[in-house]
Amino acid sequence: MKILNCGIVALATLLATTSLASAEGELNIYNWGNYTSPDMIKKFEDKYKVKVTITDYDSNDTALAKVRQGGSGFDMAVPSQNYLPIWIQEGLLLETDPGKMENFKNVAKEWADPEFDPGRKYSVPWAMGIVGTVVNTDVYKGDINTWGIIFNPPDELKGKVNVVPEMIDVMDAAILYNGGKKCTGDLTILKKVRDTLLAAKPNWIAMEYGTIQKMGSGDFAASSDWNGSAFRQRLANPKIHFGYPKEGFVNWSDNLVVLKDAKNVENAKLFQDFMMDPENAGMNSGFHRYANGIAGSEKYMPADMKDAPEIKVPDEFKSVGVPSQTCPPDVQALYTKIWTELQK
């Protein structure tokens, strides 16, 4: 009997030190708000008997700051590709090797070995999109394919423009509008950017993330925004349209990662593999209305996504899209300085 008791104690001790023991039944995901399909989560919960809790954040900076503090209690997060190298360099992520998971075969070739996560050692695709403009064409009937909507609004839109306050997105847009290149440290360009932003701000009604609701309700008539958000707005109001700024726009992706201090590692790995299944990725895209990097997921998406103007970039604008990238720290510091002044 003593031998049996010792064995039980030893086994309990062993289990307590493994991720399997701590992972059983739970998964805590830290993600952008309104960005996760409830039906897809229920499917995962039912399949693996895991209770999923999702906590929202509203920006890359918010998420990074929270995770940097440590002890967040989250297992997973969904940083954008221009922030992901920072998470990796700062040792915030667990190397889960998604490239060796069963469903990695479904990752589209162009997303299998991205510059921001070579070999997919840490991340799997979640969604991808574009930063552009969104306009209620009942209010303004002119050209919406320009950052002038935001930085030099026509009279019809003055006092009715929102700016989604994702710092890098806004800085990129202002740089492209002023003829610069993404991640530029050119002080001449950045002075123009600063002046453009400060001059434009009095014409804005707000700097908020909640565009799906407020564009639909008419509180905003125009905004900088992401294409999936614009898609959902148009479904509610067909007069709302997405613009592809001719000065240039940024193509981005968000990616699912596991935190270094995750308590539920095995369940997190299961979820990464689960999200590389075409049916599950398609279900998620059907909710948030963005494309994803999983080949074959299209057939599981709503039919209206196939040729949606927010998803299918018009031929005349394909050449002006630029990929999102991580700017050098000294350039980031310059952007932050301008951004801080804009917030005053």
Side-chain angles (χ1 to χ4, degrees), residues 21-269:
S22 60
E24 187 176 354
E26 296 182 7
L27 182 64
N28 297 297
I29 303 173
Y30 195 32
N31 199 358
W32 299 83
N34 204 8
Y35 200 34
T36 308
S37 165
D39 291 338
M40 181 271 294
I41 290 296
K42 185 176 187 305
K43 180 181 178 182
F44 178 82
E45 289 181 321
D46 290 346
K47 182 173 182 177
Y48 294 108
K49 309 306 178 188
V50 170
K51 173 60 179 173
V52 178
T53 300
I54 299 175
T55 302
D56 295 346
Y57 57 81
D58 60 7
S59 74
N60 275 298
D61 287 318
T62 297
L64 180 58
K66 179 71 172 178
V67 174
R68 273 174 170 163
Q69 292 173 2
S72 67
F74 303 126
D75 301 305
M76 310 189 80
V78 190
S80 298
Q81 69 181 62
N82 58 326
Y83 275 73
L84 186 50
I86 300 172
W87 292 59
I88 294 172
Q89 291 163 11
E90 295 191 10
L92 301 176
L93 303 182
L94 187 68
E95 188 172 327
T96 54
D97 247 347
K100 296 179 180 178
M101 293 180 179
E102 180 182 356
N103 282 322
F104 186 77
K105 61 183 181 291
N106 300 312
V107 174
K109 184 177 180 180
E110 62 269 29
W111 292 102
D113 188 25
E115 184 178 346
F116 56 83
D117 181 12
R120 286 286 183 184
K121 296 294 185 183
Y122 298 90
S123 68
V124 304
W126 180 267
M128 59 194 62
I130 292 165
V131 185
T133 62
V134 60
V135 178
N136 186 326
T137 56
D138 261 351
V139 179
Y140 178 67
K141 303 185 184 302
D143 182 15
I144 68 172
N145 296 303
T146 173
W147 285 120
I149 292 291
I150 306 301
F151 302 126
N152 187 21
D155 290 341
E156 299 97 313
L157 294 176
K158 286 181 178 177
K160 303 173 184 177
V161 174
N162 176 66
V163 172
V164 174
E166 184 71 16
M167 181 185 78
I168 298 299
D169 287 354
V170 178
M171 290 298 298
D172 286 345
I175 288 166
L176 293 168
Y177 180 66
N178 281 283
K181 295 182 179 180
K182 182 170 171 38
C183 287
T184 184
D186 185 325
L187 295 180
T188 301
I189 291 291
L190 292 180
K191 183 181 185 305
K192 290 180 181 179
V193 166
R194 170 193 173 276
D195 294 346
T196 293
L197 290 169
L198 294 179
K201 188 177 180 182
N203 295 314
W204 302 340
I205 189 173
M207 295 180 72
E208 296 182 12
Y209 284 91
T211 54
I212 294 175
Q213 294 78 16
K214 292 197 173 182
M215 281 294 297
S217 66
D219 291 341
F220 305 150
S223 184
S224 62
D225 213 341
W226 303 301
N227 59 321
S229 173
F231 193 159
R232 294 168 76 175
Q233 293 166 37
R234 178 175 59 80
L235 292 176
N237 180 353
K239 293 296 184 179
I240 296 175
H241 295 282
F242 183 70
Y244 293 88
K246 56 196 171 190
E247 301 89 357
F249 54 83
V250 173
N251 299 300
W252 53 265
S253 72
D254 291 338
N255 300 271
L256 182 67
V257 298
V258 180
L259 304 188
K260 188 69 172 285
D261 60 357
K263 298 291 191 297
N264 303 299
V265 173
E266 297 308 315
N267 288 340
K269 289 180 179 179

